[in-house]
Amino acid sequence: MMKTQGTKNQNTEIQSAKKAEPGILENVLRLAPAVLAVVAVALLFVLPFATYQYKQRTYGILGRSFLFGTRIAGGRHEVGQSTVLWIFVVSMAVVLVSSLIKFRKRVVSEEIMTVAGIAGLVSSAFMASNVAGMLEGVKKTAASTGAVASVVLSILVIVCGLYALREHKVLCSLDFMVLPGLLYFIINNYIPMFGIYIAFKKIDYSKGLWGSDWVGFDNFKYLFSTTDAWVITRNTLLYNAAFIVLGIVSGLVVGICLSEVARKAMQKFYQTSILLPQLISFVIVSYIVYALLSNETGLITKALGSAAPNFYADKTWWPFILIFINVWKQLGYNGIIFLSSIVGIDYGIYEAARVDGATRWQMIWKITIPQLKPTIMTLFLLQVGRIFYSDFGLFYQVPLNAGALYDVTNTIDTYVYRALMVNNNISLASAASTYQAIVGFAIVLVVNLIVRKVDKENAMF
């Protein structure tokens, strides 16, 4: 009996050891990224990364020339060292090391490998797309086989890393559904961040973005030496502060009122009616406002008669007009958000309060509003996150870009647009946009820190 039990234990240990041993697929996944990294760097030195034409002949230039710099076109032009391509080489080195060295947890190695592969892909793709800018002064420059190979091999490294993470149950099939949205954010939101360097240059289109002169903080000094910086900052902050307070209060009132409508059919009708302005474009809103305030045919102007001001030349009324339009458009959206939160409140609390003799107002004040505190804080934090941004349509299209109204309608977004499209000053526009992003980010951190101190559960992070 004891011999049989010992044999079973021995068989169990052998099976466990076999399971612990890495399989063929795992070994391939472990070594494939290392091989791909070595091949990618080797091809960078062997294959032409770019081509150019000089004296009616086409020449290839290897990737190592961009790494260490060289003279081309008969020594007449110089190719400097490329930081971006060095990032690619370092990323491939990280892939190689993380593939060969066994970390304490294998998953950590694969996560590092995947991140390094993404860095390699972004850097190689960026370099390949900007090859023409790196070879200024020669004709018909283009990315060549080495550039294409580096991009393809980087993609394969990322695929190996993701597949390995899936095998280790770090990622599941549902996680890959996030990839389209993630790619959108990377391409649309994060890659453009590299454009911040434009704010520190004096852009000369004849020299290109990379070749333009570096001027440091001169663009920011010019921005803050004028009154424009104060005006656009004041308008942006004060308007958004009014939008946040009035938007949350009006949305809360509308949500409570909708919850008190007994007939579901009428409740849906009211929801749809107040949500319609949210779906209307600001272009249409601007025509509606013009139909009301126009000097010649405006409905309000005609009703006021001789006492009517010239609305598009008098800035007195526009702060109130813009705030009213914003609240009107956002009213339905905020109201439905609060209504959905009210529906989730346990109805038994109201029944108990009614038994205790509470009035309708007391139930709203003592039950509904306290229960809506998390929703209020979430909306507040989300809107504070955009307190340094303004709706371009509201401040540009609704006032019809009237110059007499700039004092009360000019915000950071409209200032950036005019600096870029009207004044053709891309450096100043970028400086204002960078100022907007940095200060907005700082405000989010400060407000979240305050909320975290007051009520940790309702903080965003």
Side-chain angles (χ1 to χ4, degrees), residues 63-235:
R64 64 171 179 265
S65 299
F66 290 99
L67 293 174
F68 305 108
T70 188
R71 302 282 293 180
I72 62 172
R76 296 184 180 183
H77 299 285
E78 183 176 352
V79 174
Q81 295 184 24
S82 173
T83 305
V84 178
L85 210 55
W86 271 111
I87 293 174
F88 171 76
V89 174
V90 172
S91 300
M92 292 300 103
V94 171
V95 169
L96 177 62
V97 172
S98 61
S99 301
L100 297 180
I101 296 178
K102 187 175 182 180
F103 286 85
R104 187 174 181 181
K105 292 182 179 179
R106 188 68 200 171
V107 173
V108 176
S109 173
E110 284 147 4
E111 289 174 345
I112 295 173
M113 178 180 66
T114 305
V115 173
I118 293 172
L121 172 62
V122 173
S123 59
S124 59
F126 184 81
M127 180 65 188
S129 64
N130 286 276
V131 139
M134 300 295 293
L135 295 174
E136 291 178 5
V138 292
K139 296 180 180 180
K140 295 187 178 179
T141 57
S144 189
T145 51
V148 175
S150 63
V151 173
V152 172
L153 292 173
S154 300
I155 294 174
L156 291 177
V157 168
I158 297 171
V159 171
C160 289
L162 293 175
Y163 187 80
L165 290 173
R166 184 178 180 276
E167 289 295 309
H168 285 85
K169 308 300 182 185
V170 177
L171 297 175
C172 65
S173 300
L174 292 176
D175 291 323
F176 291 95
M177 295 176 63
V178 183
L179 286 178
L182 181 63
L183 288 173
Y184 168 78
F185 273 103
I186 291 173
I187 295 170
N188 190 69
N189 293 47
Y190 290 99
I191 292 179
M193 287 183 181
F194 292 103
I196 287 177
Y197 78 95
I198 298 175
F200 303 94
K201 286 196 168 192
K202 184 179 180 181
I203 299 301
D204 184 346
Y205 293 106
S206 64
K207 297 180 180 179
L209 294 180
W210 295 103
S212 297
D213 297 332
W214 182 271
V215 295
F217 290 95
D218 287 356
N219 293 317
F220 294 92
K221 290 177 182 177
Y222 177 78
L223 173 65
F224 292 110
S225 65
T226 64
T227 57
D228 291 338
W230 157 248
V231 170
I232 61 178
T233 303
R234 177 201 65 192
N235 290 345

Side-chain angles (χ1 to χ4, degrees), residues 345-356:
I345 300 174
D346 185 5
Y347 192 72
I349 302 175
Y350 292 102
E351 291 290 344
R354 191 174 289 108
V355 170
D356 290 338

Side-chain angles (χ1 to χ4, degrees), residues 296-316:
E296 294 81 14
T297 58
L299 183 63
I300 294 177
T301 305
K302 283 190 172 183
L304 294 175
S306 59
N310 184 352
F311 284 103
Y312 287 94
D314 185 358
K315 61 185 180 182
T316 306

